[in-house]
Amino acid sequence: MRRYIVLLTAMLCVVAASAINRKTLVEYAQPLKGLKKEQLKNAIYKMSQAYRVPDYGSGYDNTWYHFYTTDRYPGTNECVNRYSTDRFYFSNGNNGSAISGMNIEHSFPKSWWGGTKNKAWNDLFNLYPSESASNSAKSNYAMGKVDNPNVLDDYEKVGSGNAGGKTIRMCEPHDTWKGDFCRSYFYMATTYQNLTWTGEGSSTSGGGLQTLENNDWPTLKKWAYTLYLDWARADKVSQIEVDRNNAVYAIQSNRNLYVDFPTLAEYVWGDSTNVAFDPATALTTASDDSRYAEYTYSGGGNTPGDDGGDTGGDDSGDVGGGNNDNTGGDDSGNTGGSDNGEYLFYDAFSDVTEGNNTTTDGAYPLWTGNANFPNTNNVYNAGGAVKLGSGSKTGNLTSKAIPCSGGTLCVALDVKGWTTVEGKLLVSLTGGGTKEITYKATRTDNFETQTMTFTNVSANPILKIETSAKRAYVDNVRVWNPAATGITLPEQDAKPHIIYTISGQRVLGMPEAPGIYIIDGRKIVVR
């Protein structure tokens, strides 16, 4: 059991992450609602960041220690081997020992980003136990269709293949695991889209730049994502993948959303790039969602698995599709209504692609607002967030009218300051007064999540966020009705708990990974 040290002296028990139901998954993925193509990919990028990754290698709490949980067949000590037909076994009990004859394999080769020992190096979503000889044969080659294999066994082909008109060395996994590796590649090309890919490669070597481009979208080259989508369609998500996703989530506090929503990649690269993604109607691999078992890819231009509607509802009518009001959102999909537990208002600033929020390098172009925040004053682009104010002026955001009956509403946002905290945030809702927010995080830190409750709010209120002095970064602004959602803030002592990492990423269930969390607005240290 982890020990939770609550700064307000409360004690919480640990609930291990296991199966996830569809309602929880839909709530978790609300930041993706209404987004398409590159905006959707950028939002997934922000959601997919691992709070912590294990140290690489053997030993307690390291890679091999966690492979015992993530890559062991249920009820046995046999290790899942995706690279050959050889069988390998963990020792009895979990002591973190490596298995003789196996390596830790980077499915997405580490040389592709220059071998820097960063989170991508240690990320369990990119690491698999591999039979040593197969690992060596695979080298750092691109994953692709091998036309002329010169190394061939039952589970892996290595040889030459076509990479967008250029013949290079490639590795092709067995059909059983193609979808697994493709969804790992989708995850890596999204979660680490900020890395600089290197290596042109040749006919005899691999190379990241044969598979990847240095940009936020598409990141994967067209030949690569076209092939990987085909493989992912043919090899559907298995229970082994679902269980692994949940197991890694319990360790790293992040998820592979391409496993949770198996048609999500279609909205980023595939046949649905012109359709807004809606987690409330999308197919999932959640424990209580049986639709995916019946799903067969048809290759049409509409959302995969839908009945021709705009947002991916299915023929059965189990979940709301199109613009019927089952999902409580508006026609644009930008903000969800509260009828089925969604936010009344949410903006992750996914349309803000210029600037940055971690350094003073480069320009901060003026941001003139969007559909959610049509009125701005001294607000600037900050790389997936916004910067309010400048070195000499305050700044503010004013929202559109938020459709609701008013009353008691909750607001949460992520914030951090410039090189120092230069002031406070002033947050107001029409009729509900103004809250003064203090915070400690600055530009080089992770965002700090602040939550607040407003009472006596007017119907269809307007939200205003402003700095009291100079600059602050703001991200992930959300408003909800606690009576409609069952989600309330700590002073109301209600459940379910709202849990975020210190960087503002939503957490499902009670966290197991050591670190600092915001639970119902309280700072929790998990040791």
Side-chain angles (χ1 to χ4, degrees), residues 22 26 267 277-284 291 311-314 319-322 327:
R22 183 171 169 272
V26 169
Y267 294 82
F277 182 72
D278 187 350
T281 59
L283 295 171
T284 75
R291 295 172 301 154
T311 59
D314 63 10
V319 293
T327 60

Side-chain angles (χ1 to χ4, degrees), residues 22 236 283-295 314 316 318:
R22 183 171 169 272
K236 295 172 65 174
L283 295 171
T284 75
T285 55
S287 58
D288 57 349
D289 188 349
S290 62
R291 295 172 301 154
Y292 186 54
E294 306 298 325
Y295 164 66
D314 63 10
S316 69
D318 292 341

Side-chain angles (χ1 to χ4, degrees), residues 135-455:
N135 183 12
S136 178
K138 174 182 177 289
S139 187
N140 64 346
Y141 302 146
M143 183 173 70
K145 181 173 173 52
V146 173
D147 298 319
N148 299 295
N150 56 11
V151 177
L152 175 66
D153 61 23
D154 291 333
Y155 257 50
E156 185 178 62
K157 297 178 185 176
V158 177
S160 61
N162 188 326
K166 183 175 181 179
T167 300
I168 63 170
R169 295 283 286 174
M170 286 186 170
C171 175
E172 180 177 346
H174 189 270
D175 289 350
T176 304
W177 304 107
K178 280 180 177 173
D180 303 54
F181 285 120
C182 290
R183 285 177 281 271
S184 290
Y185 269 50
F186 294 151
Y187 168 88
M188 290 297 292
T190 302
T191 307
Y192 298 102
Q193 65 184 30
N194 59 313
L195 296 181
T196 299
W197 312 113
T198 185
E200 287 289 350
S202 67
S203 61
T204 58
S205 68
L209 291 178
Q210 297 300 343
T211 303
L212 300 154
E213 300 173 351
N214 282 307
N215 50 41
D216 289 346
W217 187 90
T219 310
L220 287 167
K221 287 194 171 182
K222 185 176 181 179
W223 76 264
Y225 68 70
T226 301
L227 176 63
Y228 301 160
L229 285 167
D230 283 344
W231 283 356
R233 293 162 186 153
D235 177 27
K236 295 172 65 174
V237 177
S238 67
Q239 191 61 46
I240 287 176
E241 255 184 292
V242 172
D243 292 344
R244 191 177 205 272
N245 192 22
N246 291 327
V248 175
Y249 171 75
I251 298 161
Q252 297 187 169
S253 297
N254 70 326
R255 303 185 66 81
N256 185 343
L257 289 164
Y258 296 105
V259 173
D260 288 324
F261 295 93
T263 60
L264 179 60
E266 302 287 354
Y267 294 82
V268 177
W269 295 282
D271 65 4
S272 300
T273 54
N274 292 321
V275 179
F277 182 72
D278 187 350
T281 59
L283 295 171
T284 75
T285 55
S287 58
D288 57 349
D289 188 349
S290 62
R291 295 172 301 154
Y292 186 54
E294 306 298 325
Y295 164 66
T296 301
Y297 177 71
S298 62
N302 295 316
T303 307
D306 71 2
D307 57 1
D310 292 336
T311 59
D314 63 10
D315 291 333
S316 69
D318 292 341
V319 293
N323 286 328
N324 56 17
D325 292 328
N326 293 350
T327 60
D330 62 15
D331 289 344
S332 69
N334 290 334
T335 57
S338 62
D339 291 348
N340 69 345
E342 299 174 12
Y343 290 111
L344 293 166
F345 180 95
Y346 193 109
D347 202 320
F349 302 107
S350 300
D351 56 332
V352 180
T353 57
E354 298 181 280
N356 72 83
N357 56 66
T358 56
T359 73
T360 56
D361 297 338
Y364 286 87
L366 191 67
W367 188 66
T368 56
N370 60 14
N372 284 331
F373 287 105
N375 299 307
T376 65
N377 181 36
N378 293 326
V379 178
Y380 302 88
N381 288 259
V386 291
K387 180 171 73 74
L388 278 59
S390 64
S392 58
K393 298 179 181 179
T394 61
N396 62 72
L397 294 165
T398 304
S399 77
K400 66 179 184 180
I402 301 172
C404 69
S405 58
T408 298
L409 296 180
C410 298
V411 176
L413 54 81
D414 300 341
V415 60
K416 61 181 177 179
W418 189 245
T419 53
T420 60
V421 174
E422 298 173 320
K424 300 178 181 180
L425 278 188
L426 305 176
V427 181
S428 63
L429 275 173
T430 308
T434 299
K435 302 282 187 180
E436 188 176 74
I437 302 301
T438 60
Y439 54 96
K440 296 180 180 180
T442 58
R443 191 188 65 250
T444 56
D445 297 325
N446 293 320
F447 277 93
E448 179 179 317
T449 301
Q450 294 286 340
T451 56
M452 59 217 84
T453 300
F454 293 83
T455 58

Side-chain angles (χ1 to χ4, degrees), residues 454-491:
F454 293 83
T455 58
N456 301 316
V457 177
S458 303
N460 303 318
I462 290 174
L463 172 68
K464 185 175 183 179
I465 305 168
E466 56 188 322
T467 56
S468 65
K470 297 184 180 180
R471 298 157 290 201
Y473 297 100
V474 171
D475 197 7
N476 292 320
V477 179
R478 43 218 185 262
V479 180
W480 67 96
N481 181 342
T485 62
I487 302 173
T488 53
L489 294 181
E491 57 266 30

